[in-house]
Amino acid sequence: MAPEGGGGAPLASRPAAVLAGAEAGDLFDRGVVLCAAMLAATAEASRDTSVDYAKIRRQFGTAIGAFQAVKHKCSDMAVRCEAATSLTFYAALSVRDRLQSAAFDASAAKVLAAEAAMEHASVCVQVHGGMGVTAQMTPHLYVKRARVLDQLFRSRRWRLARVLASPTPRGRRRSGGCVTPSHRSCGSDP
């Protein structure tokens, strides 16, 4: 006999009841936001590991972090981390408050955080050079984690289609790329 849960329904039949209707989308969006948060954290860890290594690794008598190519990669990672983290926080608030744009916000956060995590993991391996793929260093683990987390909660193509199919937040217009209220200042038709 199955253990009894609240309301007298066996626990085995409760998941279907819990996932019915609007709650299913809410739970899915919560999972997507949590996955986006893990991806944003992976991106931040990759950034921090890259910056720390660039400070201590010396080549040609100077730290590799002093070279312009490495500086630019690290600064790009910092900007991407801020964008991914900010959008993930916003998506979490949107899902918590059950806003109409919650599906859009959650999927957009996951797409941006996945791009950041995968790009940062790749750059982290590049900054570490050949050592980045060895067992002694952690960059290869960031690559694996980013790839696995990117595949959770459906494919990237599905998430992008979901972003495009979701109602636009706060009435923004998608066609033509114009987001001005009057649509006259940018030359597009209303």
Side-chain angles (χ1 to χ4, degrees):
M1 182 167 162
E4 294 291 322
L11 290 178
S13 67
R14 289 188 68 207
V18 170
L19 294 176
E23 288 188 23
D26 186 45
L27 288 175
F28 184 81
D29 290 338
R30 286 174 186 260
V32 170
V33 169
L34 288 172
C35 192
M38 289 189 285
L39 284 161
T42 301
E44 288 179 355
S46 297
R47 178 205 58 206
D48 294 343
T49 302
S50 296
V51 169
D52 291 344
Y53 187 76
K55 288 178 184 175
I56 61 169
R57 174 73 169 104
R58 299 188 66 76
Q59 191 65 39
F60 306 114
T62 185
I64 63 170
F67 299 128
Q68 188 175 17
V70 177
K71 280 183 191 178
H72 286 202
K73 286 184 184 285
C74 290
S75 65
D76 288 345
M77 287 193 297
V79 170
R80 246 186 253 111
C81 274
E82 277 304 312
T85 303
S86 296
L87 188 56
T88 301
F89 281 140
Y90 182 77
L93 293 173
S94 178
V95 169
R96 181 196 69 187
D97 296 341
R98 295 184 175 165
L99 298 180
Q100 182 182 4
S101 63
F104 175 89
D105 296 330
S107 291
K110 174 83 186 308
V111 167
L112 188 64
E115 285 179 5
M118 289 192 294
E119 178 65 24
H120 292 194
S122 175
V123 169
C124 189
V125 168
Q126 291 174 7
V127 168
H128 281 74
M131 291 296 292
V133 293
T134 63
Q136 291 92 5
M137 302 293 233
T138 57
H140 71 284
L141 298 175
Y142 299 138
V143 172
K144 291 175 186 175
R145 182 173 295 138
R147 297 256 179 224
V148 167
L149 290 173
D150 181 46
Q151 295 304 311
L152 293 178
F153 297 100
R154 309 284 302 251
S155 70
R156 176 181 177 77
R157 177 176 285 176
W158 184 87
R159 285 190 308 272
L160 288 171
R162 186 177 188 220
V163 166
L164 292 174
S166 297
T168 55
R170 293 169 294 287
R172 289 189 297 222
R173 188 173 163 213
R174 275 202 191 95
S175 62
C178 182
V179 293
T180 60
S182 68
H183 301 289
R184 296 191 200 303
S185 60
C186 65
S188 68
D189 294 334

